[in-house]
């Protein structure tokens, strides 16, 4: 998605923002991420605010609206949403500005304990009944082995995308950002999704699964459910890599296949052990 500076938004859209923030003294366009047509930090009369936006007729606008809907229910590890505007052909979100860096998932990183704390907090959040978001059963229906989808059901709020650029280390905490794909489902799914990203950062499959076992939701789940998730993840990443064979997606497909094999073997090491 191409990105434009805040100053190039239509005048009525910029005015709607300044009605919320007061005069804008400076706007700095952010370069990270791919899913926002506008992503700028504004220095305003009322303080700093991160504005992300997408054209109202863009196919991905529904994801941003889901993000806005779920924001009031997120744990304190997530940035605060100040406002949501639909104006002048744009959907805009105004967020708390976090000064930090992306999480380091490498095996020796001190960030892993912070990420664990943030996900532990999220695991306690259930999805309000009146919030309409994707269900885990529907998200994995085309990939899970037949007869296993019942394991994916639940009412926990899931993030599902723990790529390091979706986790900021700020003020001594891991902060979960980019809630474009909130999902309702079994709590153990998020530790599994995180484990795959740990493998991307250099953890062997066995060690990544041990890390997932730090979370009671994963540790106390039927091994058949975990094996089903491994198979579903492998099938999903295989499809992604076939449709777009960029090197990193091919590597993720190979990691997901290795993840699946360990879970199917039933020989996952216990929490506190290592594969070496």
């Amino acid at each position: 998605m191409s990105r434009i500076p805040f100053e190039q938004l239509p005048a009525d859209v910029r005015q709607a923002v300044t009605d919320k923030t007061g005069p804008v003294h400076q706007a700095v366009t952010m370069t990270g991420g791919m899913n926002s047509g506008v992503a700028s930090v504004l220095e305003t009369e009322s303080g700093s605010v991160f504005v992300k936006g997408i054209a109202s007729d863009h196919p991905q606008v529904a994801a941003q609206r889901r993000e806005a809907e779920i924001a009031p229910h997120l744990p304190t590890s997530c940035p605060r949403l100040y406002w949501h505007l639909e104006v002048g052909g744009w959907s805009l979100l105004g967020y708390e500005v976090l000064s930090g860096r992306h999480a380091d998932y490498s095996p020796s990183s001190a960030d892993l304990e912070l990420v664990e704390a943030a996900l532990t907090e999220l695991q306690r959040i259930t999805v309000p009944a009146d919030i309409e978001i994707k269900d885990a059963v529907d998200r994995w229906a085309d990939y899970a082995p037949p007869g296993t989808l019942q394991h994916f059901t639940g009412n926990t709020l899931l993030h599902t995308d723990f790529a390091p650029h979706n986790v900021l280390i700020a003020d001594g905490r891991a902060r979960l950002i980019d809630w474009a794909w909130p999902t309702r489902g079994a709590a153990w799914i998020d530790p599994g999704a995180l484990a795959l990203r740990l493998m991307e950062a250099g953890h062997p499959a066995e060690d990544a699964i041990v890390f997932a076992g730090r979370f009671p939701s994963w540790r106390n789940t039927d091994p058949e459910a975990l094996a089903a998730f491994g198979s579903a993840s492998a099938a999903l990443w295989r499809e992604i890599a076939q449709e777009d064979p960029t090197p990193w997606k091919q590597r993720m497909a190979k990691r997901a296949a290795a993840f699946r094999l360990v879970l199917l073997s039933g020989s996952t090491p216990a929490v506190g052990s290592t594969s070496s």
Side-chain angles (χ1 to χ4, degrees), residues 14-27:
R14 287 183 281 116
Q15 182 61 54
V17 172
T18 58
D19 287 345
K20 293 285 188 181
T21 66
V24 176
H25 304 308
Q26 183 181 30

Side-chain angles (χ1 to χ4, degrees), residues 116-128:
E116 179 184 356
L119 181 50
T120 297
E121 182 183 33
L122 178 60
Q123 293 263 283
R124 304 187 187 108
I125 306 296
T126 57
V127 182

Side-chain angles (χ1 to χ4, degrees), residues 86-215:
E86 298 278 344
V87 60
W90 282 85
S91 175
L92 299 174
L93 305 181
Y95 273 107
E96 170 191 7
V97 172
L98 298 177
S99 297
R101 57 176 174 80
H102 297 308
D104 175 6
Y105 284 177
S106 60
S108 60
S109 173
D111 290 353
L112 295 176
E113 290 188 4
L114 304 180
V115 174
E116 179 184 356
L119 181 50
T120 297
E121 182 183 33
L122 178 60
Q123 293 263 283
R124 304 187 187 108
I125 306 296
T126 57
V127 182
D130 59 343
I131 297 292
E132 293 187 8
I133 60 175
K134 195 80 170 180
D135 193 278
V137 169
D138 298 324
R139 282 195 61 179
W140 278 275
D142 293 336
Y143 308 103
T148 64
L149 280 174
Q150 73 277 6
H151 295 300
F152 291 73
T153 61
N155 200 39
T156 298
L157 176 61
L158 308 174
H159 186 285
T160 74
D161 185 1
F162 288 90
H165 62 256
N166 288 336
V167 183
L168 289 181
I169 304 301
D171 301 321
R173 302 180 66 190
R175 314 293 293 271
L176 305 178
I177 64 173
D178 197 352
W179 281 84
W181 295 103
T183 301
R184 183 195 311 265
W188 55 263
I189 292 172
D190 264 354
L194 174 59
L196 279 167
R197 292 298 183 169
L198 296 183
M199 292 176 64
E200 184 181 25
H203 297 250
E206 293 84 356
D207 291 355
I209 292 169
V210 167
F211 191 91
R214 297 185 184 189
F215 301 93

